[in-house]
């Protein structure tokens, strides 16, 4: 696909006619849809979102207080685009890719307006190492060189919308992102930076079906409802149920190579927390600070809504850019509901015909376009890369029947349903194991078989069955009390409790338990199964349920979660369980 | 300044003015009525032929003959050190008989957003002396932690107790209270004022009063005036400011009223679709800024219509604030003060302000374990009503007992009882020790050995 930058010479001037919050109307103005324009005497950044007769309607990314009718509007002729190149990682941006650190330098602790700031540092020099030589043929998307950006190697590519050609000259050495590092036979000169319009997906050669899980270190996710690398997941839940904590856990511990975290219309302090915490956390895989693989987009709830609308596109474009280098990228968007609300707010200012609950009729289309930008792909350069997208959803009143949740569930493959009942009793992660699902289980089956254990898939099904059975039994218990249950079922209840309390519950704030690798997940589940098996044999031998439930050795199992080198302890518990049951059987 | 007499329409709090020169969006407007009274308003929409003004006072007296003056600037608030100890109207005018505020500065009341990069992570533990807050829903400096209450519940007393007892252990830095009342009754306001006077807090307080019989639309600016003052005290004078906003439900009603007057497409239950963004522009004005001394901590109070936590007002608030303290009618009926139901309550910044170096290393886990026990015990109450106590297992009976103990000893305390955090945590251990130790699955062995009354050093082994 070809994306052309529009003719940057249509530097047309218009006049403001009306200002109504973030939406303004200009007349005598030549513009195309989604052109970036400068509004008013202070040249606030805006984007054309509607053209109607004489009027051009513009959403403004900054506060419009004090702007008057009659002030000028200037069309830049460019689309809303981001700067892509070395310097993205470790950065924190607002919704339109202005680095927040630069904004602090330029305007102090509070976000004022009328300040523009480029997305990349333009004065910084990077050590560019060419990977092609004179005479080599390159095409759009080809990798021509690399830069050590952080501990991550940044691949410098031919922009995907260019046709490429034969390399005429290429340099090595220290350059800024504006310096030409490579010239093609046809005279095209290439720098380390490219611009890409955020609303247009970056092209790929081919989309593949994901077959490898994104390992997150979270037991309920990896163990029961895994997401694939290149997959999509939604995590809906009422306020305070754990969307942000789960997303941050994924940002910290998932085995992606690059993480893009979008705080879309959420809290300022949450972004600060990421900013203070991440530089001190170490990637369990590389041993490097987590911040070095992370890009943050923070357009908090009190920042302009139009920029909130744009933040999601800014984030996904950056994610695609690293995917094109051949990396596995994961993107978290917290919260897609705030993005949808920004669309609703703008739409209602445009006096568009509202759809369900006031959301614009195109809500479903926008959501699916966004999630479609996820995927495992063959890049234009011929490598493999992926973008996994995990979106938080904040349904009003925690009611999943509302439009944003429903339209999201139609698209995504994994559903992690947060449940206020669980979070209220501090069962974390408060993901409901009965309502959640993953449609990747089949495709990931072989991977678990191969990489974890041939037993894993059966163990998983067993655990799900026990949990399902427990839910049915609980209904009976609510009517007659637990003592009235048949004996085998009393033990099912006990085993289910162990699965919930030992396997499913995971404390994000415990230094050890915060991350649990697949091996440990398997070992924990196996130990619970061992208890279930021992109980079954014991019961057959005449041991009573209360003796089984009262057995002591199993009570040590929860402690395993908090121990880093858990193996010796776990083996000891297994032996003790065995011995205890042998005694019980003998006495029966 | 030019005065227009071109009012073409008045609808609710909105005044439409025609044929003006170009007027800025958000500008402050003065409308002069026939008897010379000046009413303030703000530009909501401006175009070359029509300007829509939202008036912050009653529109009574405004007519085609009224003069409209556009001031050319957005609404500003005069602030100064002198404000401490003063009582102002919901519109910011002194109503205590004292002189006008001598402005050291005039600040825009909308307040720009704090750049997230400039924020410092709040992590200083505030001891409120209330166990259900300190122990299980800890408040930290710079947090926004609302009280979700309902009509007829003692949320005002809880807020007062917090305001009175709050301290950061070992800190002697200056603090202040900013109190903003929106649409509360004179009687409620008196209750606050009396307590402020009784404890001498008034000297360190700035009070904004918009009472039930004051104009509803004025409520739109009251919290913004209060927060502008708070930010000034905090970030320019270096004070630690506690802001109490009550009642946010009345604020939201005013917002709905304006939305209706503008004939906007209403969102859930008639509240405007942008209410989330609007509330965020209030609640997000809390926090700490890197390199600056002060802080703004917010305790908004709201009454849930029909005790319904999914109502848009508590719902949208909960999505913005950093937790919530939920006041329960059931506990109140049982005669428990403060009737805080910990189950739906939450403090999201708790983890940053507790543990080693802040409170005590066992804090988080004691809290988690109490939650688990109380939640389970509370569930069992329903079951007991059906099957009777005898059908319960031994374990369930103990949990049931625990839930009662928790309410009677941990939740319940006196209006003037100021518990230290150590008292609160030790009390927690006392209650937990009524459960068999192997049921304490949320706590690791080391902590049990160190703090559990039956195991800690000096305890007599059973
Ligand atoms: N895995 C976890 N381990 C421990 N605590 C957790 C976990 N998940 C959530 N919590 C607790 O729940 C609280 C609320 O979680 P979080 O802030 O993620 O909610 P949220 O769903 O994002 O809410 P909102 O929609 O209001 O942003 C956290 O502050 C934390 O105390
Ligand atoms: Mg959140």
């Amino acid at each position: 696909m070809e994306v052309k930058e529009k003719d940057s010479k249509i530097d047309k001037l218009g006049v403001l006619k009306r200002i109504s919050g973030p939406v303004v109307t200009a007349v005598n103005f030549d513009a195309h849809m989604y052109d970036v324009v400068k509004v008013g005497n202070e040249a606030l950044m805006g984007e054309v979102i509607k053209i109607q007769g004489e009027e051009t309607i513009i959403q403004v990314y900054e506060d419009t207080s004090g702007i008057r009718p009659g002030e000028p509007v200037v069309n830049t002729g460019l689309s809303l685009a981001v700067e892509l190149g070395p310097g993205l990682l470790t950065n924190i941006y607002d919704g339109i890719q202005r680095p927040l650190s630069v904004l602090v330098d330029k305007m102090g602790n509070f976000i004022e307006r009328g300040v523009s700031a480029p997305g990349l540092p333009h004065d910084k020099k990077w050590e560019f190492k060419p990977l092609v030589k004179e005479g080599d043929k390159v095409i759009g998307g080809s990798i021509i060189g690399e830069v050590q950006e952080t501990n991550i190697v940044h691949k410098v590519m031919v922009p995907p919308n260019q046709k490429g050609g034969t390399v005429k000259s290429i340099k090595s050495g220290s350059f800024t992102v504006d310096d030409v590092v490579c010239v093609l036979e046809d005279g095209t000169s290439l720098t380390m930076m490219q611009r890409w319009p955020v609303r247009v997906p970056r092209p790929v050669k081919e989309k593949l079906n994901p077959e490898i899980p994104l390992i997150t270190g979270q037991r309920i996710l990896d163990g029961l409802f895994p997401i694939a690398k290149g997959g999509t997941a939604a995590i809906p839940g009422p306020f305070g149920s754990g969307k942000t904590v789960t997303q941050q856990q994924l940002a910290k511990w998932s085995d992606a190579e690059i993480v893009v975290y979008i705080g879309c219309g959420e809290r300022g302090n949450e972004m600060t927390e990421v900013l203070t915490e991440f530089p001190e956390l170490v990637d369990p895989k590389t041993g490097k600070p987590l911040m070095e693989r992370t890009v943050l987009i923070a357009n908090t709830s009190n920042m302009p809504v139009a920029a909130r609308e744009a933040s999601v596109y800014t984030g996904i474009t950056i994610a695609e850019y690293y995917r094109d280098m051949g990396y596995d990228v994961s993107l978290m968007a917290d919260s897609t509901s705030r993005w949808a609300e920004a669309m609703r707010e703008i739409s209602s200012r445009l006096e568009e015909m509202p759809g369900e609950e006031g959301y614009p009729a195109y809500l479903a289309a926008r959501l699916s376009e966004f999630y479609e930008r996820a995927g495992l792909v063959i890049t234009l350069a011929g490598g493999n890369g992926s973008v996994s997208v995990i979106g938080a959803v904040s349904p009003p009143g925690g009611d999943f029947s509302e439009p944003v949740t429903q339209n999201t569930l139609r698209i995504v493959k994994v559903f992690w349903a947060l449940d206020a009942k669980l979070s209220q009793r501090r069962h974390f992660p408060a993901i409901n194991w009965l309502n959640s699902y993953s449609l990747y289980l089949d495709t990931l089956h072989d991977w678990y078989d191969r990489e974890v254990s041939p037993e894993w898939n059966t163990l998983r099904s067993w655990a799900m069955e026990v949990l399902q059975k427990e839910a049915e039994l609980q209904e009976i218990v609510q009517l007659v009390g637990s003592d009235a249950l048949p004996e085998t079922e009393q033990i099912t209840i006990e085993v289910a409790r162990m699965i919930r309390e030992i396997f499913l519950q995971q404390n994000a704030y415990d230094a050890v338990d915060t991350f649990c690798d697949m091996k440990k997940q398997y070992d924990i589940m196996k130990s619970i199964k061992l208890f279930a098996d021992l109980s079954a044999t014991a019961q057959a031998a005449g041991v009573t349920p209360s003796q089984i439930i009262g057995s002591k050795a199993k009570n040590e199992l929860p402690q395993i979660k908090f121990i880093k080198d858990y193996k010796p302890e776990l083996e000891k518990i297994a032996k003790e369980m065995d011995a205890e049951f042998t005694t019980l059987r003998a006495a029966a | 300044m030019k005065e227009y007499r071109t009012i073409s329409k008045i609808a609710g709090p909105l005044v439409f003015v025609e044929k003006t020169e170009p007027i800025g969006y958000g500008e402050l407007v003065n409308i002069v009525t026939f008897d010379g009274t000046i009413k303030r308003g703000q530009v909501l929409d401006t175009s070359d032929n029509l300007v829509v003004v939202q008036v912050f006072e009653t529109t009574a007296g405004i007519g085609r003959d009224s003069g409209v003056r556009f001031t050319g600037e957005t609404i500003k608030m005069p602030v100064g050190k002198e404000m401490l100890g003063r009582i102002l109207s919901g519109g910011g005018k002194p109503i205590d008989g004292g002189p006008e505020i001598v402005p050291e500065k005039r600040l825009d009341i909308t307040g720009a957003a704090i750049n997230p990069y400039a924020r410092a992570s709040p992590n200083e533990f505030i001891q409120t002396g209330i166990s259900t807050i300190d122990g299980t829903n800890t408040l930290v400096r710079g947090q926004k932690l609302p009280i979700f209450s309902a009509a007829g519940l003692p949320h005002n007393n809880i807020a007062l107790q917090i305001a009175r007892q709050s301290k950061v252990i070992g800190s002697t830095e200056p603090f202040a209270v900013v109190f903003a009342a929106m649409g509360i009754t004179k009687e409620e306001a008196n209750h606050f004022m009396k307590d402020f006077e009784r404890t001498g807090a008034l000297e360190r307080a700035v009070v904004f009063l918009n009472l039930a019989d004051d104009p509803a639309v004025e409520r739109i600016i009251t919290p913004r005036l209060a927060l502008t003052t708070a930010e000034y005290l905090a970030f320019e004078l270096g004070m630690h400011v506690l802001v109490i906003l009550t009642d946010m439900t009345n604020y939201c009603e005013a917002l709905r009223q304006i939305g209706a007057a503008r004939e906007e497409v209403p969102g859930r239950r008639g509240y405007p679709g942008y209410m989330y963004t609007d509330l965020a522009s209030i609640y997000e004005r809390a926090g700490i800024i890197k390199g600056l001394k002060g802080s703004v901590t917010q305790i908004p109070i709201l009454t849930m219509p029909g005790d319904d936590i999914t109502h848009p007002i508590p719902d949208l608030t909960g999505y913005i604030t950093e937790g919530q303290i939920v006041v329960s009618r059931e506990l109140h009926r049982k005669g428990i003060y403060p009737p805080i139901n910990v189950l739906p309550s939450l403090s999201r910044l708790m983890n940053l302000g507790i543990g080693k170096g802040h409170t005590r290393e066992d804090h988080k886990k004691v809290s988690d374990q109490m939650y688990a026990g109380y939640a389970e015990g509370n569930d069992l109450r329903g079951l007991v009503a059906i099957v009777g106590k005898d059908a319960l297992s031994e374990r369930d009976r103990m949990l049931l007992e625990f839930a009662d103990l928790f309410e009677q000893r941990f939740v319940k305390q006196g209006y003037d009882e100021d518990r230290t955090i150590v008292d609160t945590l030790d009390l927690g251990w006392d209650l937990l020790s009524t459960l068999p130790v192997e049921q304490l699955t949320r706590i690791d062995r080391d902590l049990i050995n160190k703090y559990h009354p039956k195991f800690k050093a000096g305890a007599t082994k059973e």
Side-chain angles (χ1 to χ4, degrees), chain A residues 212-419:
Chain A
I212 296 175
L214 180 76
I215 292 298
T216 65
Q218 310 304 303
R219 287 186 291 270
I220 187 163
L221 307 188
D222 299 345
L224 301 190
F225 311 109
I227 174 178
K229 284 201 174 95
T232 51
I235 175 159
F239 64 79
S241 54
K243 295 178 291 296
T244 305
V245 174
T246 308
Q247 298 250 38
Q248 290 188 355
Q249 286 295 93
L250 292 184
K252 286 175 193 167
W253 309 124
S254 70
D255 64 347
E257 291 160 297
I258 304 288
V259 169
V260 178
Y261 190 98
I262 312 172
C264 173
E266 292 286 313
R267 304 172 183 85
N269 276 334
E270 284 172 355
M271 299 313 293
T272 311
E273 201 181 321
V274 174
L275 275 176
T276 35
E277 214 181 331
F278 275 39
E280 294 181 358
L281 292 173
V282 187
D283 184 344
K285 239 176 40 178
T286 61
K288 297 282 164 45
L290 280 175
M291 201 61 201
E292 296 204 357
R293 64 169 195 182
T294 309
V295 184
L296 299 172
I297 318 274
N299 210 92
T300 56
S301 54
N302 55 343
M303 285 158 76
V305 283
R308 187 200 299 171
E309 193 270 338
S311 65
V312 162
Y313 295 102
T314 298
I316 191 105
T317 308
I318 293 172
E320 286 175 339
Y321 175 64
Y322 280 95
R323 171 204 67 193
D324 291 346
M325 298 177 202
Y327 287 119
D328 289 319
V329 185
S330 64
L331 174 136
M332 332 299 159
D334 185 13
S335 156
T336 59
S337 294
R338 305 302 164 219
W339 171 45
E341 281 166 9
M343 282 189 243
R344 176 169 69 184
E345 197 166 331
I346 306 282
S347 160
S348 90
R349 303 256 184 192
L350 293 179
E351 286 157 19
E352 289 174 339
M353 187 67 166
E356 222 183 329
E357 294 192 16
Y359 288 103
Y362 46 79
L363 172 73
R366 292 278 166 88
L367 283 170
S368 55
E369 280 161 22
F370 167 66
Y371 282 104
E372 262 311 290
R373 291 175 76 168
L376 171 68
V377 305
I378 300 181
T379 63
L380 294 180
N384 273 339
S386 68
V387 174
S388 316
V389 173
I390 298 114
V393 185
S394 317
D399 176 2
F400 290 175
S401 67
E402 58 90 40
V404 182
T405 315
Q406 286 306 314
N407 284 310
T408 304
L409 289 186
R410 277 206 279 280
I411 313 156
V412 299
K413 298 277 192 307
V414 181
F415 173 43
W416 295 322
L418 288 168
D419 186 338

Side-chain angles (χ1 to χ4, degrees), chain A residues 45-59:
Chain A
M45 190 163 157
E47 189 181 13
V48 174
I49 52 170
K50 187 171 174 181
I51 297 174
Q52 186 176 35
E54 285 288 278
E55 302 185 336
T56 302
I57 303 175
I58 297 159
Q59 63 175 357

Side-chain angles (χ1 to χ4, degrees), chain A residues 218 235-247 249 266-267 270 334-335 338 392-394 418 423 426-430 506-510, chain B residues 276 315 317-324 346-351 364 368:
Chain A
Q218 310 304 303
I235 175 159
F239 64 79
S241 54
K243 295 178 291 296
T244 305
V245 174
T246 308
Q247 298 250 38
Q249 286 295 93
E266 292 286 313
R267 304 172 183 85
E270 284 172 355
D334 185 13
S335 156
R338 305 302 164 219
V393 185
S394 317
L418 288 168
S423 60
R426 302 311 192 245
H427 171 112
F428 288 123
Q506 185 168 2
N507 187 345
Y509 300 100
D510 183 273
Chain B
Y276 174 83
D315 190 52
T317 299
Y319 272 122
I320 303 163
T321 53
E322 287 144 348
Q324 66 279 339
L346 168 72
S347 162
R348 297 166 197 245
L349 300 187
M350 174 168 180
N351 295 306
K364 166 86 178 134
D368 283 353

